[in-house]
Structure formats: structure tokens, C-alpha cells
Amino acid sequence: MTDSNTDIAVVSLAQPLESIADELGRSFEEYGFAVIRDHGIPQELIDRAETLAKTFFALPDEVKKAYHIPGGGGARGYTPFGTEKAKDAKVHDLKEFWHVGRELPEGHPLAEYMADNVWPSEVEGFREIFSELYSAFETAGSRVLEGIALHLGLDRDFFAPTVEDGNSVMRLLRYPPLEGQEAEGAIRAAAHGDINTITLLLGAEEAGLELLTAQGEWKAVAPPEGALVVNIGDMLDRLTNHRLKSTQHRVVNPRGEAAYRARYSMPFFLHFRPDYVIETLPSCIDPAHPEDHPAPISSHDFLLQRLREINLA
């Protein structure tokens, strides 16, 4: 089914992927976004994770800042307010966040690309619950990628080796409550595109996420409760020669009473493996313009290039 208010596809992963792949693909081609129901991440796990995230963010600033890793580019642990800014934005975004990434065993060929996680000893169960949620996000993301592969006419499992041991990151995010008249409709996170392959977002139900349409208008993304919002990142946009679109999006404060509350969300930035070379898919090259596509680049080099642009490298 499609949400007729927005025309952004709302699909269920409980359906056979073959039956939803093209609706999913159409939505990604037009908007860069789709909404996923029945994604398989247990609601009980999501609820426990949200409680633990709120517990962590409620800790005193000096406790949280002990988990900030200077020079780490925010890849793991805590990032305080006013560190990250959108590409080309004049001001830093008003948010604080925590990153959980992949842990690889010592001696693994890709271990050099991934720092060890840090875990807050003050919050009981944090490591166990967020490790479990990380895995659940990965499973859901793999299913979405299978649907995308089918839409692109690729083998269903095309993306599996490209993201295996990828540098995916789960972000626990808190936007603090704003005060005063300017709180209503204030921009919480400036317009930006995501760098990675696809992003899966939990917690988008609280009004605020907007995408920029091809017509240059801001369109609200309002998923049913408990659904995942999925968007295309720059890496997949590049791989498909802009057929699947990495769309600019932003977080805007709601109007009314909700404007004065803190907001929480959990995006999962699913990445290709660092050594995967992003080389345009042959099916996405126009035979009439065979040179008209981006040059090949490894996903790691692409990531570093973009992190420098947003103040995190």
C-alpha cells in the first residue's frame, strides 16, 4: 500500500520481497525515502533501547563527556552538543549523540578501519541491548537491500558481500528541549544528505523529519508508529549513477506543545565494507552517454572525503 498523503511508499517486509521491490524502488527513485512496516526489530527491544538511551543522556555532562573521544571523529562513544554541522551549514546542529559500531576480532583484515566500542558503565545492560539492536538493524537493512537489488534487476543477494563487515554505525540521538518563541518550527538538524549506503531510522514518528523533493519543496515524512524510515545514502546514489536518490533532509521542531520537549531517535547508518569499490553498476549507465557517471572510489576514501566536509574528520 502507498500512503496517498505523501506518495512515499509504505511497504511491509512481511510480504514477499518480489511483490514490494518495485514500489520500494519507485519511492527511492522519486523521493530517496520509503517507510517499512513489519521490519522484524522487536518492539520490546526498541522500547528497552529507548529507555537506556534516555538514561544515558540524563547523566551529568561531566560523566557523558568522559566518553567523548577527542580525535576519534565521533566514530565511537559520545559526541557533545555543537560538534557536527551539515555540509555547507553555517552553524552546528543542536544535538548530542552516542555511536555504537561494528567490533571485529583482532587480526581481522578490516579491523584497522573500526575502532573498539566504548560502553558507559553507569547504565546497566547498555552493551547487551545495543549490541542486540545493532544486529537487528543489520538484519532489517539486509532485507531492504535485497528488495533494492531485485528492483535494479540484480541477483537478490548482490549486496550481501558488499556490506559484510561494513563500517555501519548506530546513533542514539537526543535533541534537547528548546525554549522561547523561536522553538516552534526551529531547525533541529540542518538540511543534509547521508554519506552511507542506506539509513534506517527508528523514532521518526515524532513530527519533524522533512525531505526536499525534486520540485524544491519540503515534504514531511510521517510514518506509522513503530515503522522504520529508510533513505538512500550518497554511496548507493553514486553506485546507481543517481537512479536511487540521496535526498537532502532535515529535522524541524514541531509546532505547539511538542516543540518544547526533547526528541530522541535512533538512526542506523548502514555502510559498504571499507574496501568495497563504488563503481557504477553497468545497468545504470546510459549507453548514449557511457562516460557520464562518477569515477570509481573505495567506500573508505569516499567516507573520509565526506567526513572532512562535515567537521567530523
Side-chain angles (χ1 to χ4, degrees):
M1 96 180 199
T2 301
D3 181 333
S4 57
N5 292 332
T6 64
D7 239 4
I8 297 166
V10 180
V11 301
S12 164
L13 284 189
Q15 302 296 318
L17 285 175
E18 292 79 5
S19 70
I20 62 167
D22 285 337
E23 190 177 355
L24 198 58
R26 173 202 60 77
S27 197
F28 286 142
E29 287 179 13
E30 189 171 347
Y31 293 110
F33 275 76
V35 173
I36 309 289
R37 292 184 298 110
D38 308 315
H39 44 69
I41 304 176
Q43 189 58 46
E44 183 203 3
L45 177 60
I46 296 167
D47 293 344
R48 291 184 68 189
E50 284 180 354
T51 300
L52 291 178
K54 288 176 179 176
T55 302
F56 172 76
F57 288 123
L59 291 170
D61 282 351
E62 62 273 17
V63 174
K64 291 186 287 190
K65 283 184 175 160
Y67 293 103
H68 176 54
I69 304 165
R76 300 290 185 270
Y78 178 66
T79 297
F81 292 121
T83 305
E84 185 178 58
K85 64 184 178 74
K87 185 183 173 187
D88 304 326
K90 302 288 182 285
V91 294
H92 293 80
D93 285 343
L94 190 61
K95 62 190 180 191
E96 57 180 329
F97 55 90
W98 179 280
H99 274 170
V100 175
R102 186 181 306 284
E103 296 196 321
L104 292 173
E106 213 177 313
H108 188 287
L110 296 177
E112 64 178 292
Y113 297 105
M114 297 177 215
D116 290 340
N117 279 312
V118 292
W119 303 103
S121 56
E122 294 82 0
V123 185
E124 196 178 338
F126 193 96
R127 178 176 192 158
E128 295 71 23
I129 291 297
F130 284 110
S131 298
E132 193 180 334
L133 185 59
Y134 186 101
S135 299
F137 262 125
E138 275 213 299
T139 302
S142 298
R143 291 270 293 157
V144 174
L145 287 173
E146 285 180 24
I148 290 172
L150 290 171
H151 173 69
L152 293 172
L154 301 167
D155 179 71
R156 180 187 181 122
D157 296 320
F158 173 85
F159 287 106
T162 73
V163 297
E164 185 185 0
D165 297 329
N167 200 5
S168 299
V169 172
M170 179 170 62
R171 173 178 285 188
L172 323 178
L173 193 51
R174 176 179 178 265
Y175 300 102
L178 298 182
E179 293 165 11
Q181 296 270 286
E182 70 280 4
E184 298 198 30
I187 306 291
R188 283 298 184 93
H192 65 283
D194 290 351
I195 302 169
N196 44 294
T197 308
I198 58 173
T199 300
L200 297 87
L201 174 67
L202 279 173
E205 300 92 298
E206 281 206 33
L209 181 63
E210 297 181 342
L211 66 87
L212 189 61
T213 67
Q215 293 73 39
E217 294 166 358
W218 288 104
K219 184 184 205 55
V221 184
E225 194 165 342
L228 270 177
V229 172
V230 180
N231 65 277
I232 302 294
D234 294 345
M235 292 183 184
L236 196 52
D237 181 305
R238 189 180 180 105
L239 184 73
T240 63
N241 202 16
H242 317 306
R243 182 173 160 188
L244 302 182
K245 294 184 173 51
S246 175
T247 311
Q248 291 278 304
H249 50 283
R250 67 184 185 181
V251 177
V252 178
N253 231 20
R255 306 260 164 203
E257 187 196 338
Y260 302 96
R261 287 202 305 262
R263 287 191 58 229
Y264 298 86
S265 66
M266 288 186 282
F268 183 83
F269 302 106
L270 196 149
H271 279 262
F272 289 129
R273 46 190 292 134
D275 57 0
Y276 177 65
V277 176
I278 304 167
E279 186 167 0
T280 307
L281 296 168
S283 63
C284 296
I285 294 174
D286 180 353
H289 304 280
E291 302 306 313
D292 190 11
H293 60 87
I297 185 171
S298 78
S299 78
H300 181 66
D301 287 344
F302 184 74
L303 176 64
L304 288 183
Q305 186 179 304
R306 290 296 310 278
L307 286 177
R308 281 193 285 271
E309 292 170 356
I310 63 164
N311 219 36
L312 283 182

